[in-house]
Amino acid sequence: MKLLQVIFKRHFISDCCIRTRFLFFCCERDVNFNVLTSLRIFGIRIYKSVITNDGIICNLIGIFKWKVNCNFRVRDIANLGEIVHLCLPKINQNSNRHIVIFSLLGSPSGESFLVLNNLRYFRCFERSDAYICVDKRWKCVLCSMFAPGSNVIFIDKTIFTHILYSATFFIDSRRCTIYQFFPTTHYIEQDKLIKSKGIHYSDYIAKKLEISRLHLSAPVISENDFIQFKSMAQCFKINLSRFVIICPEANSCSQSSDSFWKVVCCFLKANGFSVYVNSTKKRCEQNSLKILSHSELYALATQAKLIIGIRSGLLEILAMTGVPIIAIYNSFPKRGSLDAMKSSDVMTGFTLKKIPDISSQVVEFDSNNMSENDLINAIKEILRI
């Protein structure tokens, strides 16, 4: 079996890109558009393709370049129509009002958090039969936190669009408009502007939503969420009067080493602090791999003395607690159609300090220019150790 893995291996390197390696050949394919994006022989790239607004630009051996025209608009309309079809069984059939579907299919947690906070600024949200369509259970939790009382439709399928933000259909004479907030080209253009002009991603989202600025507010947290985290804290002997939350994982960016987080955890424990590590793998001698829901973790975070983590959508949400945050910015690897991004650009484009209405004190580090001592000193200053 190990020999077979050496000869042939196939695995996802991001949510939308799969890599296949056979002997000295290695290719990458964008699964959303079924397009070969890279081909390497002996580690040397001989073919590369980049998806753009109106086609695919192909490059062979760095010399021969051509463009393949693709009618992404037709494909996008078909995909948006499929989302509407999947939502239909859960739409109120007795109403005559305009139907509006806000699709968060494929959206990361940070973008979902920002959109849900600002749906009320869409005039159609109040004047229509509005629904929020999601593809992950944790997004249902975010809806209950930041858009309580909204009509949420869960479909167990992720459907992407490439260029279209919206489309309108008619269902038995009822008008139905669907908004897909983050097509692939949204991220492509956003990353280009971050690298070339240093824009912030929240400003770019506000522009796309056609509002002057984003507005954020604290979430609605149920009493059960507070009961759950207190029960968990008691079970794992977390001192709620003196503890720190560590969030060492993020989907988009590269990860810091386990040894790095172990140094942080050991320092905190040596100074009398309990540590809760929100991780899918065992780190820092954590007793449990239990991952709290977003609402449970938020409730727990309101009691923490400090939150430390890799910059992620989760950290963005926890920055609404008012608890001090230390955010570490790592680089972005290549993600399907999206190029890699160095950590300094990630910090420029996604700094928590530029997100409006964030209530937490934020200390930020570029991982390329940070030592363990820099982080320890920041912890000492905040916790007054």
Side-chain angles (χ1 to χ4, degrees), residues 35 73-74 78 85-86 89 161 195 205 221 240 282 330 348 364:
V35 171
R73 184 173 294 273
V74 172
H85 176 74
L86 292 172
T161 58
K195 293 176 181 178
I205 290 175
I221 302 297
L240 290 179
K282 199 161 189 175
N330 288 348
T348 297
E364 299 181 315

Coordinates of all heavy atoms in Angstrom, one line a residue, residues 35 73-74 78 85-86 89 161 195 205 221 240 282 330 348 364:
V35 N -11.4 21.9 -15.0 CA -10.3 22.5 -15.9 C -8.9 22.1 -15.3 O -8.7 22.2 -14.1 CB -10.4 24.1 -15.9 CG1 -9.2 24.7 -16.6 CG2 -11.7 24.5 -16.6
R73 N -21.3 32.4 -18.3 CA -22.6 33.0 -17.9 C -23.7 31.9 -18.0 O -24.5 31.8 -17.2 CB -22.9 34.2 -18.8 CG -24.2 34.9 -18.4 CD -24.3 36.2 -19.2 NE -23.3 37.1 -18.9 CZ -23.4 38.0 -17.9 NH1 -24.4 38.0 -17.1 NH2 -22.4 38.8 -17.7
V74 N -23.6 31.1 -19.1 CA -24.6 30.1 -19.3 C -24.6 29.1 -18.2 O -25.6 28.6 -17.6 CB -24.5 29.4 -20.7 CG1 -25.4 28.2 -20.8 CG2 -24.7 30.4 -21.8
A78 N -27.4 28.2 -15.2 CA -27.8 26.8 -14.9 C -27.6 26.4 -13.4 O -28.5 25.8 -12.8 CB -27.1 25.8 -15.8
H85 N -34.2 25.5 -7.7 CA -35.0 24.2 -7.8 C -34.9 23.5 -6.4 O -35.9 22.9 -5.9 CB -34.5 23.4 -8.9 CG -35.1 22.1 -9.0 ND1 -36.4 21.9 -9.5 CD2 -34.6 20.8 -8.7 CE1 -36.7 20.6 -9.4 NE2 -35.7 19.9 -9.0
L86 N -33.7 23.4 -5.9 CA -33.5 22.7 -4.6 C -34.2 23.4 -3.4 O -34.5 22.8 -2.5 CB -32.0 22.5 -4.3 CG -31.2 21.6 -5.3 CD1 -29.7 21.7 -5.0 CD2 -31.7 20.2 -5.1
P89 N -39.0 23.3 -2.6 CA -39.9 22.6 -1.6 C -40.0 23.3 -0.3 O -41.0 23.0 0.4 CB -39.1 21.2 -1.5 CG -38.3 21.1 -2.7 CD -37.9 22.4 -3.1
T161 N -20.7 29.6 -8.6 CA -20.8 30.4 -9.8 C -19.5 31.0 -10.1 O -18.6 31.2 -9.2 CB -21.9 31.5 -9.8 OG1 -21.6 32.4 -8.7 CG2 -23.3 30.9 -9.6
K195 N -3.1 42.9 -3.6 CA -1.7 42.9 -3.9 C -1.2 44.2 -4.6 O -0.1 44.7 -4.4 CB -1.4 41.7 -4.8 CG -1.5 40.3 -4.2 CD -1.3 39.2 -5.2 CE -1.4 37.8 -4.5 NZ -1.3 36.7 -5.5
I205 N -16.1 44.0 -0.2 CA -17.4 43.3 -0.1 C -18.5 44.4 0.0 O -19.5 44.3 -0.6 CB -17.4 42.4 1.2 CG1 -16.5 41.2 0.9 CG2 -18.8 42.0 1.6 CD1 -16.4 40.3 2.2
I221 N -27.0 35.0 21.4 CA -26.5 33.8 21.9 C -27.6 33.2 22.9 O -28.1 33.9 23.7 CB -25.2 33.9 22.7 CG1 -24.1 34.5 21.8 CG2 -24.7 32.6 23.3 CD1 -23.7 33.7 20.6
L240 N -12.7 29.2 34.6 CA -13.4 30.2 33.8 C -13.0 31.6 34.3 O -13.3 32.6 33.5 CB -14.9 30.1 33.9 CG -15.5 28.8 33.2 CD1 -17.0 28.8 33.4 CD2 -15.1 28.9 31.7
K282 N -5.3 16.7 18.1 CA -4.8 16.9 19.5 C -3.5 17.7 19.5 O -2.5 17.4 18.9 CB -4.5 15.5 20.1 CG -4.4 15.6 21.6 CD -4.6 14.2 22.2 CE -4.8 14.3 23.7 NZ -5.1 13.0 24.4
N330 N -0.6 34.1 8.5 CA 0.3 33.2 7.7 C 0.0 33.4 6.2 O -1.0 34.1 5.8 CB 0.0 31.8 8.1 CG 0.6 31.4 9.4 OD1 1.3 32.2 10.0 ND2 0.2 30.3 10.0
T348 N -2.2 42.9 5.1 CA -2.8 44.1 4.5 C -4.2 44.0 4.2 O -5.0 44.9 4.5 CB -1.9 44.5 3.3 OG1 -0.6 44.8 3.7 CG2 -2.5 45.7 2.6
E364 N -1.5 42.3 16.2 CA -1.3 41.5 15.0 C 0.2 41.2 14.7 O 1.0 42.1 15.0 CB -2.0 42.2 13.8 CG -3.5 42.3 14.0 CD -4.1 43.0 12.8 OE1 -3.6 44.0 12.3 OE2 -5.2 42.5 12.4

